Each structure stands twice: as structure tokens, then as C-alpha cells.
Amino acid sequence: MLGSMSDPVPALARSLPKVELHCHLEGSARPATIVELAKKNGVALPVDDPTELFHFDDLNSFLAVYGIICQSLVTADDFRRITYEALEDAVADRVRYREMFFSPSFAMAYGVALETVWDGIRAGLAEAHADLDVRCRMVLDVDKGGAPSAATDLVAFAAQQDRDLIVGIGGDSTERGVDHSTFLPAYELAARQGLRRTMHAGEDGPAENIAISLDVLGCERIDHGVRLIDDPELMARVAEARIPLTVCPLSNVLIARMIDDVAEHPFARQREAGVLVTVNSDDPGMTGTTISDDYEHVARAFSYDLDTMEQLALDGIEACWAPDDEKAALRTRFLAEFDAGRADADMAVRGMS
Ligand code: ADE
Ligand code: ZN
């Protein structure tokens, strides 16, 4: 879907340099890779083509499919491969910096050791850093559908790893009916160990889950945060404190299905209220969409101009957990790339006239 002549911004937004802060490793795996790995590992998928499974009624039905996909991931090399390929795909979308979730509980449920998962991811990161023009740190997501004690064990593992490889922890999976405060021991341990903290909240549950994540668990970012719009007082606090939301507009249409169209998303209203909202893809392998699609849809849905779309890309830098010098270098690079992109667009327009 390219922008029309009357509004070139949606198409230009696709080629902006980007930071991505909300993207799941397992949900980024290429369907063709899942098929190959399942065959190699002797795992029988219920269909020949996993994309046939990728039609969701709600978050919980999505998570059931996520579990099936994760059965195909067995060896360290499987995790190395999907990590590398996820970053190859990110580069194609001009992602220059990513903080990527991994959710080891899904593979561990099928008997894969946590160390196997992590050894593979580490190898994939090392290869990607050597070969590709993208920097990536991982965020270990605990499973909110599982026991809080299992979450604490995962955080203890994360705490032993290099902070340059695992920068923080989050919580994903189901939200409905989950008392988020039960994860306090895991989040306290993370804080003591200097791990950054975020949480999926307000995606498939009320604004109260956002409040608990911030006020009880001490989160520094909120993943999704759609329902923040329902609590203006909390929204004002989040805006004032510059607590970022990692918003995934197309995912909210295609996975949680709380809206039919990006134009209905509270993203623009949250931004107008001063909230630091960022644009992200969530599970590109499973939705068949990319972060460039999210940028394009946001630009079109809210009639944003190019300045605004560039500012959204810069807001990703503000919201990320890279060291300050790395953030400054990213900012310098983005500004130069914005100028180059505008010059190219001008040349194209002149060439057509
Ligand atoms: N795991 C992968 N994608 C997710 C989402 N959108 N919400 C909760 N858990 C997830
Ligand atoms: Zn997510």
C-alpha cells in the first residue's frame, strides 16, 4: 500500500530509520522457517502451512497458536536461526536498534532447557551484530499465565547474564483475570539486580493493570497500554513522568481485536495528552505485517505529517534502554537519514514534474 500523490507521508514513513521496542522473537519467526524446523525436529504441526493458523479471535486464541509455533523450536541452533532472521527482517524495515522480547516459558513447556534457548539467542545476536547494521538487546518476558515463582526463577537467570545482552524483563501472555501484583517478587528481584522493567498491560485488560504495573511492580515502560485512555488521571501521570508506551497498532487490530481499524486506536489521543507513545510491530511473523506497515497505517489513520512521523522515530530513541552515548549516536544518525530521505523525495517529485 503506497501513499497517494496527494498524501506521500504514509509511504515516506515506511522508509524512516526506526527503533523497535516491542517485538517478540518467537512471533517474528518466518513461517517458512517454522515449517523447516518442525520437519527437522520431527514435530507434527496441525497444518502444512502455519499461516493457515494465523487467524485469531482474541489474545487467548492467538496465544494457543503461539504455543504450537514454539513446539518447532527445539535446539540452540533453532533459536540462533530465528534470532538472526528476525534481525535480518528488521534491517529490511530500517530498524537500527531493537529491544526484542523472548518468552522461554513456551519452549520450556515442551522440555527445552532455558540454557538451550539462551545459548541459541546469544549466538544469533553475536552473528547479527557482526553481519548486520542493527543493534539488539533482549528483554526476557515472564509468562503471566504461569506461576509467579516460575517468573522469579526466570528473572534470577536473566540477572546472571550480560546486561548488554539482556537489558530487562517484561511480562507477556494472557492478561484477562491475572492479578499482576502477584509478580512482585520477580519484579523486586529484577530491580535489585539492575534489570529494566516493563509489562504488557492494558492490551486485553483494564487500565488498573497499568496502574499496578507502575505503582506496585515499578515498571519503567508499558507494553501496549491501550486502555490508559480510560483513566485520564493515570494518563496525565504517565505523560508527566515520560513513561513510554510501546504501542502495536496493527497487532491490536489483528491479535487482541479490540478495534477494527487503526483509526479507532487511542494512539493519537494518548499522544495529544502528552504520552510518549512509540510505534512497534509485536509479532510480525504471525500477523504478516511489519513495523513499516505500522508506521504507514499510523501516518494515514491520523493524517500525520512527515515532521510528526520523524518525531515518532526519535521518540523510540528516547524510550529505549540503550546507554546515553548510544542514544545520542542514534539520534545523530536518524537526523542525517531524515535529511537524506527528504532530499530523495524532493528529487523524485521534481523528476515527475
Ligand atoms: N506474546 C506475543 N505477543 C503477545 C501479545 N500481543 N500480548 C501478550 N503476549 C504476547
Ligand atoms: Zn507483545
PDB file of all heavy atoms in Angstrom, residues 299-332:
ATOM      1  N   ALA A 299       0.453   6.877  10.095  1.00  0.00           N
ATOM      2  CA  ALA A 299       0.512   8.140   9.338  1.00  0.00           C
ATOM      3  C   ALA A 299      -0.824   8.407   8.642  1.00  0.00           C
ATOM      4  O   ALA A 299      -1.358   9.519   8.688  1.00  0.00           O
ATOM      5  CB  ALA A 299       1.647   8.076   8.314  1.00  0.00           C
ATOM      6  N   ARG A 300      -1.366   7.345   8.031  1.00  0.00           N
ATOM      7  CA  ARG A 300      -2.607   7.520   7.266  1.00  0.00           C
ATOM      8  C   ARG A 300      -3.806   7.741   8.187  1.00  0.00           C
ATOM      9  O   ARG A 300      -4.614   8.644   7.976  1.00  0.00           O
ATOM     10  CB  ARG A 300      -2.846   6.318   6.353  1.00  0.00           C
ATOM     11  CG  ARG A 300      -4.074   6.485   5.483  1.00  0.00           C
ATOM     12  CD  ARG A 300      -4.243   5.381   4.452  1.00  0.00           C
ATOM     13  NE  ARG A 300      -3.185   5.407   3.438  1.00  0.00           N
ATOM     14  CZ  ARG A 300      -2.283   4.442   3.272  1.00  0.00           C
ATOM     15  NH1 ARG A 300      -2.311   3.368   4.034  1.00  0.00           N
ATOM     16  NH2 ARG A 300      -1.377   4.541   2.335  1.00  0.00           N
ATOM     17  N   ALA A 301      -3.889   6.908   9.239  1.00  0.00           N
ATOM     18  CA  ALA A 301      -5.071   6.947  10.119  1.00  0.00           C
ATOM     19  C   ALA A 301      -5.221   8.314  10.784  1.00  0.00           C
ATOM     20  O   ALA A 301      -6.342   8.793  10.964  1.00  0.00           O
ATOM     21  CB  ALA A 301      -4.964   5.856  11.180  1.00  0.00           C
ATOM     22  N   PHE A 302      -4.090   8.939  11.152  1.00  0.00           N
ATOM     23  CA  PHE A 302      -4.173  10.188  11.915  1.00  0.00           C
ATOM     24  C   PHE A 302      -3.717  11.402  11.094  1.00  0.00           C
ATOM     25  O   PHE A 302      -3.511  12.478  11.659  1.00  0.00           O
ATOM     26  CB  PHE A 302      -3.372  10.049  13.218  1.00  0.00           C
ATOM     27  CG  PHE A 302      -3.795   8.829  14.020  1.00  0.00           C
ATOM     28  CD1 PHE A 302      -2.900   7.816  14.328  1.00  0.00           C
ATOM     29  CD2 PHE A 302      -5.116   8.681  14.413  1.00  0.00           C
ATOM     30  CE1 PHE A 302      -3.316   6.684  15.033  1.00  0.00           C
ATOM     31  CE2 PHE A 302      -5.544   7.549  15.116  1.00  0.00           C
ATOM     32  CZ  PHE A 302      -4.635   6.552  15.425  1.00  0.00           C
ATOM     33  N   SER A 303      -3.552  11.187   9.785  1.00  0.00           N
ATOM     34  CA  SER A 303      -3.122  12.269   8.873  1.00  0.00           C
ATOM     35  C   SER A 303      -1.906  13.015   9.426  1.00  0.00           C
ATOM     36  O   SER A 303      -1.850  14.246   9.380  1.00  0.00           O
ATOM     37  CB  SER A 303      -4.273  13.262   8.636  1.00  0.00           C
ATOM     38  OG  SER A 303      -5.392  12.591   8.125  1.00  0.00           O
ATOM     39  N   TYR A 304      -0.941  12.262   9.935  1.00  0.00           N
ATOM     40  CA  TYR A 304       0.272  12.894  10.459  1.00  0.00           C
ATOM     41  C   TYR A 304       1.149  13.393   9.310  1.00  0.00           C
ATOM     42  O   TYR A 304       1.242  12.745   8.255  1.00  0.00           O
ATOM     43  CB  TYR A 304       1.079  11.891  11.286  1.00  0.00           C
ATOM     44  CG  TYR A 304       0.524  11.611  12.675  1.00  0.00           C
ATOM     45  CD1 TYR A 304       0.829  10.412  13.317  1.00  0.00           C
ATOM     46  CD2 TYR A 304      -0.258  12.532  13.367  1.00  0.00           C
ATOM     47  CE1 TYR A 304       0.359  10.142  14.601  1.00  0.00           C
ATOM     48  CE2 TYR A 304      -0.727  12.271  14.652  1.00  0.00           C
ATOM     49  CZ  TYR A 304      -0.418  11.075  15.260  1.00  0.00           C
ATOM     50  OH  TYR A 304      -0.878  10.813  16.521  1.00  0.00           O
ATOM     51  N   ASP A 305       1.829  14.505   9.544  1.00  0.00           N
ATOM     52  CA  ASP A 305       2.786  14.992   8.544  1.00  0.00           C
ATOM     53  C   ASP A 305       4.148  14.329   8.785  1.00  0.00           C
ATOM     54  O   ASP A 305       4.330  13.584   9.765  1.00  0.00           O
ATOM     55  CB  ASP A 305       2.859  16.523   8.548  1.00  0.00           C
ATOM     56  CG  ASP A 305       3.314  17.082   9.895  1.00  0.00           C
ATOM     57  OD1 ASP A 305       3.853  16.311  10.723  1.00  0.00           O
ATOM     58  OD2 ASP A 305       3.139  18.298  10.129  1.00  0.00           O
ATOM     59  N   LEU A 306       5.094  14.625   7.883  1.00  0.00           N
ATOM     60  CA  LEU A 306       6.387  13.938   7.971  1.00  0.00           C
ATOM     61  C   LEU A 306       7.145  14.333   9.236  1.00  0.00           C
ATOM     62  O   LEU A 306       7.825  13.505   9.847  1.00  0.00           O
ATOM     63  CB  LEU A 306       7.220  14.228   6.704  1.00  0.00           C
ATOM     64  CG  LEU A 306       8.480  13.379   6.524  1.00  0.00           C
ATOM     65  CD1 LEU A 306       8.196  11.877   6.602  1.00  0.00           C
ATOM     66  CD2 LEU A 306       9.182  13.711   5.210  1.00  0.00           C
ATOM     67  N   ASP A 307       7.024  15.604   9.656  1.00  0.00           N
ATOM     68  CA  ASP A 307       7.673  16.031  10.909  1.00  0.00           C
ATOM     69  C   ASP A 307       7.225  15.140  12.070  1.00  0.00           C
ATOM     70  O   ASP A 307       8.027  14.746  12.916  1.00  0.00           O
ATOM     71  CB  ASP A 307       7.285  17.474  11.271  1.00  0.00           C
ATOM     72  CG  ASP A 307       8.030  18.497  10.425  1.00  0.00           C
ATOM     73  OD1 ASP A 307       8.986  18.095   9.735  1.00  0.00           O
ATOM     74  OD2 ASP A 307       7.648  19.687  10.464  1.00  0.00           O
ATOM     75  N   THR A 308       5.929  14.889  12.116  1.00  0.00           N
ATOM     76  CA  THR A 308       5.388  14.088  13.218  1.00  0.00           C
ATOM     77  C   THR A 308       5.902  12.657  13.150  1.00  0.00           C
ATOM     78  O   THR A 308       6.278  12.060  14.170  1.00  0.00           O
ATOM     79  CB  THR A 308       3.842  14.101  13.183  1.00  0.00           C
ATOM     80  OG1 THR A 308       3.411  15.464  13.183  1.00  0.00           O
ATOM     81  CG2 THR A 308       3.246  13.361  14.362  1.00  0.00           C
ATOM     82  N   MET A 309       5.945  12.098  11.931  1.00  0.00           N
ATOM     83  CA  MET A 309       6.426  10.715  11.802  1.00  0.00           C
ATOM     84  C   MET A 309       7.910  10.628  12.173  1.00  0.00           C
ATOM     85  O   MET A 309       8.342   9.665  12.797  1.00  0.00           O
ATOM     86  CB  MET A 309       6.184  10.191  10.380  1.00  0.00           C
ATOM     87  CG  MET A 309       4.706  10.049  10.002  1.00  0.00           C
ATOM     88  SD  MET A 309       3.685   9.164  11.227  1.00  0.00           S
ATOM     89  CE  MET A 309       4.449   7.547  11.272  1.00  0.00           C
ATOM     90  N   GLU A 310       8.680  11.659  11.791  1.00  0.00           N
ATOM     91  CA  GLU A 310      10.096  11.667  12.185  1.00  0.00           C
ATOM     92  C   GLU A 310      10.219  11.767  13.707  1.00  0.00           C
ATOM     93  O   GLU A 310      11.069  11.125  14.328  1.00  0.00           O
ATOM     94  CB  GLU A 310      10.827  12.828  11.504  1.00  0.00           C
ATOM     95  CG  GLU A 310      11.020  12.605  10.013  1.00  0.00           C
ATOM     96  CD  GLU A 310      11.641  13.804   9.301  1.00  0.00           C
ATOM     97  OE1 GLU A 310      11.680  14.920   9.888  1.00  0.00           O
ATOM     98  OE2 GLU A 310      12.060  13.634   8.146  1.00  0.00           O
ATOM     99  N   GLN A 311       9.356  12.592  14.302  1.00  0.00           N
ATOM    100  CA  GLN A 311       9.399  12.733  15.767  1.00  0.00           C
ATOM    101  C   GLN A 311       9.064  11.394  16.444  1.00  0.00           C
ATOM    102  O   GLN A 311       9.658  11.035  17.463  1.00  0.00           O
ATOM    103  CB  GLN A 311       8.435  13.831  16.223  1.00  0.00           C
ATOM    104  CG  GLN A 311       8.519  14.137  17.718  1.00  0.00           C
ATOM    105  CD  GLN A 311       9.930  14.512  18.189  1.00  0.00           C
ATOM    106  OE1 GLN A 311      10.583  15.373  17.587  1.00  0.00           O
ATOM    107  NE2 GLN A 311      10.425  13.855  19.239  1.00  0.00           N
ATOM    108  N   LEU A 312       8.126  10.642  15.853  1.00  0.00           N
ATOM    109  CA  LEU A 312       7.801   9.321  16.418  1.00  0.00           C
ATOM    110  C   LEU A 312       9.024   8.399  16.381  1.00  0.00           C
ATOM    111  O   LEU A 312       9.266   7.641  17.320  1.00  0.00           O
ATOM    112  CB  LEU A 312       6.629   8.687  15.664  1.00  0.00           C
ATOM    113  CG  LEU A 312       5.251   9.259  15.996  1.00  0.00           C
ATOM    114  CD1 LEU A 312       4.182   8.668  15.062  1.00  0.00           C
ATOM    115  CD2 LEU A 312       4.875   8.975  17.453  1.00  0.00           C
ATOM    116  N   ALA A 313       9.780   8.483  15.296  1.00  0.00           N
ATOM    117  CA  ALA A 313      11.009   7.667  15.210  1.00  0.00           C
ATOM    118  C   ALA A 313      12.000   8.102  16.296  1.00  0.00           C
ATOM    119  O   ALA A 313      12.624   7.269  16.963  1.00  0.00           O
ATOM    120  CB  ALA A 313      11.625   7.782  13.823  1.00  0.00           C
ATOM    121  N   LEU A 314      12.116   9.414  16.501  1.00  0.00           N
ATOM    122  CA  LEU A 314      13.025   9.919  17.556  1.00  0.00           C
ATOM    123  C   LEU A 314      12.505   9.542  18.949  1.00  0.00           C
ATOM    124  O   LEU A 314      13.298   9.293  19.869  1.00  0.00           O
ATOM    125  CB  LEU A 314      13.165  11.442  17.454  1.00  0.00           C
ATOM    126  CG  LEU A 314      13.858  11.969  16.192  1.00  0.00           C
ATOM    127  CD1 LEU A 314      13.811  13.504  16.165  1.00  0.00           C
ATOM    128  CD2 LEU A 314      15.308  11.494  16.106  1.00  0.00           C
ATOM    129  N   ASP A 315      11.181   9.498  19.101  1.00  0.00           N
ATOM    130  CA  ASP A 315      10.615   9.124  20.405  1.00  0.00           C
ATOM    131  C   ASP A 315      11.011   7.692  20.776  1.00  0.00           C
ATOM    132  O   ASP A 315      11.142   7.364  21.957  1.00  0.00           O
ATOM    133  CB  ASP A 315       9.086   9.275  20.388  1.00  0.00           C
ATOM    134  CG  ASP A 315       8.655  10.741  20.378  1.00  0.00           C
ATOM    135  OD1 ASP A 315       9.508  11.624  20.642  1.00  0.00           O
ATOM    136  OD2 ASP A 315       7.469  11.020  20.078  1.00  0.00           O
ATOM    137  N   GLY A 316      11.181   6.854  19.756  1.00  0.00           N
ATOM    138  CA  GLY A 316      11.663   5.487  20.014  1.00  0.00           C
ATOM    139  C   GLY A 316      13.043   5.521  20.664  1.00  0.00           C
ATOM    140  O   GLY A 316      13.350   4.691  21.541  1.00  0.00           O
ATOM    141  N   ILE A 317      13.870   6.463  20.244  1.00  0.00           N
ATOM    142  CA  ILE A 317      15.209   6.571  20.846  1.00  0.00           C
ATOM    143  C   ILE A 317      15.079   7.012  22.306  1.00  0.00           C
ATOM    144  O   ILE A 317      15.721   6.444  23.197  1.00  0.00           O
ATOM    145  CB  ILE A 317      16.096   7.564  20.052  1.00  0.00           C
ATOM    146  CG1 ILE A 317      16.243   7.112  18.593  1.00  0.00           C
ATOM    147  CG2 ILE A 317      17.466   7.706  20.727  1.00  0.00           C
ATOM    148  CD1 ILE A 317      17.009   8.088  17.706  1.00  0.00           C
ATOM    149  N   GLU A 318      14.227   8.008  22.555  1.00  0.00           N
ATOM    150  CA  GLU A 318      14.050   8.459  23.949  1.00  0.00           C
ATOM    151  C   GLU A 318      13.584   7.301  24.841  1.00  0.00           C
ATOM    152  O   GLU A 318      14.016   7.168  25.992  1.00  0.00           O
ATOM    153  CB  GLU A 318      13.035   9.611  24.035  1.00  0.00           C
ATOM    154  CG  GLU A 318      12.826  10.067  25.477  1.00  0.00           C
ATOM    155  CD  GLU A 318      11.856  11.250  25.640  1.00  0.00           C
ATOM    156  OE1 GLU A 318      11.551  11.930  24.648  1.00  0.00           O
ATOM    157  OE2 GLU A 318      11.425  11.463  26.790  1.00  0.00           O
ATOM    158  N   ALA A 319      12.704   6.463  24.291  1.00  0.00           N
ATOM    159  CA  ALA A 319      12.071   5.413  25.106  1.00  0.00           C
ATOM    160  C   ALA A 319      12.966   4.188  25.314  1.00  0.00           C
ATOM    161  O   ALA A 319      12.655   3.344  26.146  1.00  0.00           O
ATOM    162  CB  ALA A 319      10.760   4.985  24.440  1.00  0.00           C
ATOM    163  N   CYS A 320      14.054   4.079  24.551  1.00  0.00           N
ATOM    164  CA  CYS A 320      14.829   2.828  24.615  1.00  0.00           C
ATOM    165  C   CYS A 320      15.785   2.824  25.799  1.00  0.00           C
ATOM    166  O   CYS A 320      16.004   3.834  26.450  1.00  0.00           O
ATOM    167  CB  CYS A 320      15.549   2.570  23.289  1.00  0.00           C
ATOM    168  SG  CYS A 320      17.135   3.420  23.087  1.00  0.00           S
ATOM    169  N   TRP A 321      16.332   1.649  26.061  1.00  0.00           N
ATOM    170  CA  TRP A 321      17.185   1.433  27.235  1.00  0.00           C
ATOM    171  C   TRP A 321      18.657   1.305  26.861  1.00  0.00           C
ATOM    172  O   TRP A 321      19.442   0.690  27.586  1.00  0.00           O
ATOM    173  CB  TRP A 321      16.712   0.185  27.980  1.00  0.00           C
ATOM    174  CG  TRP A 321      15.379   0.349  28.657  1.00  0.00           C
ATOM    175  CD1 TRP A 321      14.798   1.511  29.083  1.00  0.00           C
ATOM    176  CD2 TRP A 321      14.452  -0.705  29.011  1.00  0.00           C
ATOM    177  NE1 TRP A 321      13.585   1.254  29.669  1.00  0.00           N
ATOM    178  CE2 TRP A 321      13.341  -0.093  29.645  1.00  0.00           C
ATOM    179  CE3 TRP A 321      14.452  -2.092  28.855  1.00  0.00           C
ATOM    180  CZ2 TRP A 321      12.241  -0.821  30.118  1.00  0.00           C
ATOM    181  CZ3 TRP A 321      13.375  -2.824  29.325  1.00  0.00           C
ATOM    182  CH2 TRP A 321      12.279  -2.195  29.950  1.00  0.00           C
ATOM    183  N   ALA A 322      19.040   1.883  25.734  1.00  0.00           N
ATOM    184  CA  ALA A 322      20.458   1.900  25.359  1.00  0.00           C
ATOM    185  C   ALA A 322      21.184   2.923  26.230  1.00  0.00           C
ATOM    186  O   ALA A 322      20.561   3.864  26.745  1.00  0.00           O
ATOM    187  CB  ALA A 322      20.592   2.274  23.887  1.00  0.00           C
ATOM    188  N   PRO A 323      22.505   2.765  26.403  1.00  0.00           N
ATOM    189  CA  PRO A 323      23.273   3.784  27.129  1.00  0.00           C
ATOM    190  C   PRO A 323      23.157   5.144  26.433  1.00  0.00           C
ATOM    191  O   PRO A 323      22.914   5.214  25.222  1.00  0.00           O
ATOM    192  CB  PRO A 323      24.715   3.271  27.062  1.00  0.00           C
ATOM    193  CG  PRO A 323      24.621   1.839  26.676  1.00  0.00           C
ATOM    194  CD  PRO A 323      23.333   1.653  25.923  1.00  0.00           C
ATOM    195  N   ASP A 324      23.358   6.225  27.218  1.00  0.00           N
ATOM    196  CA  ASP A 324      23.143   7.579  26.692  1.00  0.00           C
ATOM    197  C   ASP A 324      23.990   7.881  25.448  1.00  0.00           C
ATOM    198  O   ASP A 324      23.513   8.540  24.523  1.00  0.00           O
ATOM    199  CB  ASP A 324      23.445   8.623  27.778  1.00  0.00           C
ATOM    200  CG  ASP A 324      22.317   8.683  28.799  1.00  0.00           C
ATOM    201  OD1 ASP A 324      21.225   8.128  28.514  1.00  0.00           O
ATOM    202  OD2 ASP A 324      22.536   9.257  29.886  1.00  0.00           O
ATOM    203  N   ASP A 325      25.235   7.411  25.441  1.00  0.00           N
ATOM    204  CA  ASP A 325      26.083   7.731  24.276  1.00  0.00           C
ATOM    205  C   ASP A 325      25.550   7.042  23.017  1.00  0.00           C
ATOM    206  O   ASP A 325      25.597   7.605  21.912  1.00  0.00           O
ATOM    207  CB  ASP A 325      27.566   7.377  24.534  1.00  0.00           C
ATOM    208  CG  ASP A 325      27.767   5.909  24.883  1.00  0.00           C
ATOM    209  OD1 ASP A 325      26.794   5.234  25.282  1.00  0.00           O
ATOM    210  OD2 ASP A 325      28.917   5.434  24.765  1.00  0.00           O
ATOM    211  N   GLU A 326      25.012   5.842  23.189  1.00  0.00           N
ATOM    212  CA  GLU A 326      24.440   5.129  22.040  1.00  0.00           C
ATOM    213  C   GLU A 326      23.177   5.843  21.543  1.00  0.00           C
ATOM    214  O   GLU A 326      22.923   5.941  20.341  1.00  0.00           O
ATOM    215  CB  GLU A 326      24.095   3.712  22.492  1.00  0.00           C
ATOM    216  CG  GLU A 326      24.402   2.652  21.468  1.00  0.00           C
ATOM    217  CD  GLU A 326      24.131   1.266  22.032  1.00  0.00           C
ATOM    218  OE1 GLU A 326      24.787   0.882  23.020  1.00  0.00           O
ATOM    219  OE2 GLU A 326      23.241   0.586  21.494  1.00  0.00           O
ATOM    220  N   LYS A 327      22.387   6.357  22.498  1.00  0.00           N
ATOM    221  CA  LYS A 327      21.173   7.096  22.111  1.00  0.00           C
ATOM    222  C   LYS A 327      21.540   8.353  21.326  1.00  0.00           C
ATOM    223  O   LYS A 327      20.897   8.691  20.328  1.00  0.00           O
ATOM    224  CB  LYS A 327      20.391   7.515  23.359  1.00  0.00           C
ATOM    225  CG  LYS A 327      19.651   6.408  24.050  1.00  0.00           C
ATOM    226  CD  LYS A 327      18.777   7.050  25.126  1.00  0.00           C
ATOM    227  CE  LYS A 327      17.891   6.093  25.818  1.00  0.00           C
ATOM    228  NZ  LYS A 327      16.751   6.686  26.478  1.00  0.00           N
ATOM    229  N   ALA A 328      22.580   9.042  21.808  1.00  0.00           N
ATOM    230  CA  ALA A 328      22.998  10.279  21.131  1.00  0.00           C
ATOM    231  C   ALA A 328      23.456   9.965  19.710  1.00  0.00           C
ATOM    232  O   ALA A 328      23.130  10.691  18.746  1.00  0.00           O
ATOM    233  CB  ALA A 328      24.106  10.969  21.929  1.00  0.00           C
ATOM    234  N   ALA A 329      24.206   8.861  19.558  1.00  0.00           N
ATOM    235  CA  ALA A 329      24.699   8.489  18.222  1.00  0.00           C
ATOM    236  C   ALA A 329      23.521   8.107  17.309  1.00  0.00           C
ATOM    237  O   ALA A 329      23.504   8.454  16.115  1.00  0.00           O
ATOM    238  CB  ALA A 329      25.691   7.334  18.336  1.00  0.00           C
ATOM    239  N   LEU A 330      22.530   7.413  17.869  1.00  0.00           N
ATOM    240  CA  LEU A 330      21.350   7.046  17.069  1.00  0.00           C
ATOM    241  C   LEU A 330      20.629   8.290  16.585  1.00  0.00           C
ATOM    242  O   LEU A 330      20.207   8.399  15.434  1.00  0.00           O
ATOM    243  CB  LEU A 330      20.377   6.223  17.924  1.00  0.00           C
ATOM    244  CG  LEU A 330      20.556   4.705  17.970  1.00  0.00           C
ATOM    245  CD1 LEU A 330      19.600   4.105  19.004  1.00  0.00           C
ATOM    246  CD2 LEU A 330      20.311   4.069  16.595  1.00  0.00           C
ATOM    247  N   ARG A 331      20.501   9.264  17.487  1.00  0.00           N
ATOM    248  CA  ARG A 331      19.790  10.497  17.160  1.00  0.00           C
ATOM    249  C   ARG A 331      20.490  11.239  16.007  1.00  0.00           C
ATOM    250  O   ARG A 331      19.847  11.687  15.050  1.00  0.00           O
ATOM    251  CB  ARG A 331      19.725  11.366  18.425  1.00  0.00           C
ATOM    252  CG  ARG A 331      18.765  12.492  18.332  1.00  0.00           C
ATOM    253  CD  ARG A 331      18.725  13.322  19.601  1.00  0.00           C
ATOM    254  NE  ARG A 331      18.271  14.632  19.228  1.00  0.00           N
ATOM    255  CZ  ARG A 331      17.003  14.954  18.996  1.00  0.00           C
ATOM    256  NH1 ARG A 331      16.065  14.073  19.185  1.00  0.00           N
ATOM    257  NH2 ARG A 331      16.672  16.164  18.606  1.00  0.00           N
ATOM    258  N   THR A 332      21.817  11.335  16.117  1.00  0.00           N
ATOM    259  CA  THR A 332      22.588  11.998  15.060  1.00  0.00           C
ATOM    260  C   THR A 332      22.373  11.276  13.725  1.00  0.00           C
ATOM    261  O   THR A 332      22.157  11.892  12.676  1.00  0.00           O
ATOM    262  CB  THR A 332      24.094  11.994  15.426  1.00  0.00           C
ATOM    263  OG1 THR A 332      24.224  12.628  16.695  1.00  0.00           O
ATOM    264  CG2 THR A 332      24.940  12.696  14.393  1.00  0.00           C
TER     265      THR A 332
END
